[in-house]
Amino acid sequence: MTAWQSRLSAEIGQNSDHLIQFRRNLHRFPEVSGEEFQTSLSLYQILGDLGLSVRMGPDGRGVIADLDTFENEGSTAIALRGDIDALRIHDCKEVDYCSQVDGVMHACGHDAHTTLVLGAAQAIQTLAKRDELPWPIRARFIFQPAEETCVGAKAMIKAGALEDVSAIFATHMEPGLPFGKVGFRKGELTANCEEIRITIHGSSGHGARPYEANDPIAAAAQLINTLYLALPRVTQTHEAVVVSFGQIHGGTSANVIPETVELQGTMRTLQQQTRSETINHIHRIAEGIAMATQTTIEVSFDLGTPAVRNDDNVIDLLKANCAELLGMPAIHEVPRASMGGEDFAFYLDHVPGAMVRLGCATPGSSNWPLLHSTRFDIDERVLSLGANLLARSVVACFEPGSRFHSQLLQSRTTSSPDSTSD
């Protein structure tokens, strides 16, 4: 371990209790997507007090902070992204940092993602003030709202979060791995995820005389059942497709067959061809059910997020720094992509980057609560580990003459992403 790496680790270690307390405070007072005002204000104040150049995101939600130790302009930045929003899930944990907001909790680890990016920013800035960084760096810290609703990344990009950025790194908590393990995967890490909206129009009637109506509820039941049974039979066995429905709305009375039923669900795929074929299959099945039930079925798709596709060079950089920090046994090769969605993918439409999975379960524990669980929690040692990994990876990018310096920085053109595009 070099001198600057030792100093960085020592600084993060000394700050570990503060990171835990910051994360616990976020956990006590979570804010759902679209309402992250207090979280953003708190981060804005802390980052400003550190001496970073800070600006708020759109509508007072989200924060962008910059650190630049170059004497002259010209270098592009490496960005770190943390998400700050919580979910509408009731926290059932019996801990003193349990959520104090009824029906809202950080059940996906966003409080941890935010904290470890903050920890990386604090450590790098402290070394910069002491003139202990080995070479000049330029870093950007993005604290993004509304990840769960898939609109936050695009809003932050539109606000200029990726201007003059060469690459971007992010983490995600992984309760399926113990603390001390870090998951890496080149290429697809998550799936394309889009919302399915289906409206079935029939004709209403008395519940005792269904033959006088065209029952949209019966059509909805047939449609869901047919999709669940048929899609696996028309998809190549080596391709992944997941279609699930989470909402069914229809009717107001127990004895009245309604006019309309609305369904909402999601479709998740990894490959573009599989996505297109699955959409065609859904339309074809819907047309068949409509004909059989004498109803009209409208199907539409709204893209939530594309797949997160990790850049090979960025994964190599993060893996090398992880091995230096924790040793090779910490490296976990993620065998297959998750079918979950992540709006971090929108950043990767503009710049290369990668997301890694941080093991957050206490080693030796069994039945650790999974993501989006009412009892989700983390082994809080992961905060310092993640902050250290991200911080040393950012600094390492700027090492003169290193292959990552040329791959991630010098190869980047001076043009920046269109800050007005979606």
Side-chain angles (χ1 to χ4, degrees), residues 147-344:
E147 189 279 328
E148 295 291 352
T149 54
C150 303
V151 298
K154 290 191 288 186
M156 295 296 277
I157 293 168
K158 191 172 183 180
L162 289 183
E163 291 177 357
D164 297 321
V165 167
S166 292
I168 186 167
F169 311 157
T171 64
H172 202 293
M173 294 295 107
E174 178 47 73
L177 289 176
F179 165 76
K181 291 285 188 179
V182 183
F184 296 89
R185 180 176 171 82
K186 294 181 178 180
E188 286 83 6
L189 181 72
T190 67
N192 302 295
C193 180
E194 44 208 310
E195 186 171 332
I196 309 172
R197 296 177 180 270
I198 298 177
T199 303
I200 303 175
H201 301 279
S203 59
S204 60
H206 198 292
R209 300 168 183 167
Y211 53 87
E212 295 179 348
N214 294 322
D215 190 346
I217 289 181
Q222 290 184 51
L223 178 60
I224 293 173
N225 190 54
T226 303
L227 289 173
Y228 284 177
L229 291 173
L231 289 178
R233 306 300 297 176
V234 295
T235 303
Q236 295 187 46
T237 53
H238 61 275
E239 295 292 345
V241 174
V242 177
V243 172
S244 299
F245 289 93
Q247 294 185 30
I248 302 178
H249 301 283
T252 57
S253 300
N255 64 344
V256 177
I257 294 172
E259 291 275 346
T260 303
V261 170
E262 295 183 350
L263 311 177
Q264 292 187 44
T266 59
M267 182 185 76
R268 301 163 191 269
T269 57
L270 295 177
Q271 303 299 325
Q272 185 61 37
Q273 181 177 349
T274 305
R275 173 184 176 272
S276 299
E277 291 174 350
T278 303
I279 288 175
N280 289 336
H281 290 318
I282 292 173
H283 279 294
R284 177 175 54 79
I285 292 169
E287 290 170 1
I289 297 295
M291 182 177 297
T293 59
Q294 294 186 298
T295 59
T296 300
I297 300 179
E298 301 169 355
V299 183
S300 64
F301 296 85
D302 297 318
L303 179 63
T305 61
V308 170
R309 292 182 172 86
N310 285 337
D311 180 81
D312 289 2
N313 291 328
V314 177
I315 286 292
D316 286 341
L317 170 75
L318 292 168
K319 188 182 293 186
N321 280 274
C322 181
E324 288 183 353
L325 176 64
L326 300 171
M328 286 303 295
I331 305 295
H332 171 75
E333 299 290 349
V334 178
R336 62 187 64 84
S338 163
M339 297 309 289
E342 238 293 348
D343 83 345
F344 181 68

Side-chain angles (χ1 to χ4, degrees), residues 13 55 59 74 102 109 112 120 132 178 195 214 233 256 287 393 412:
R55 51 194 161 118
D59 304 318
D102 189 45
E132 293 180 347
E195 186 171 332
N214 294 322
R233 306 300 297 176
V256 177
E287 290 170 1
S393 297
R412 174 76 170 147

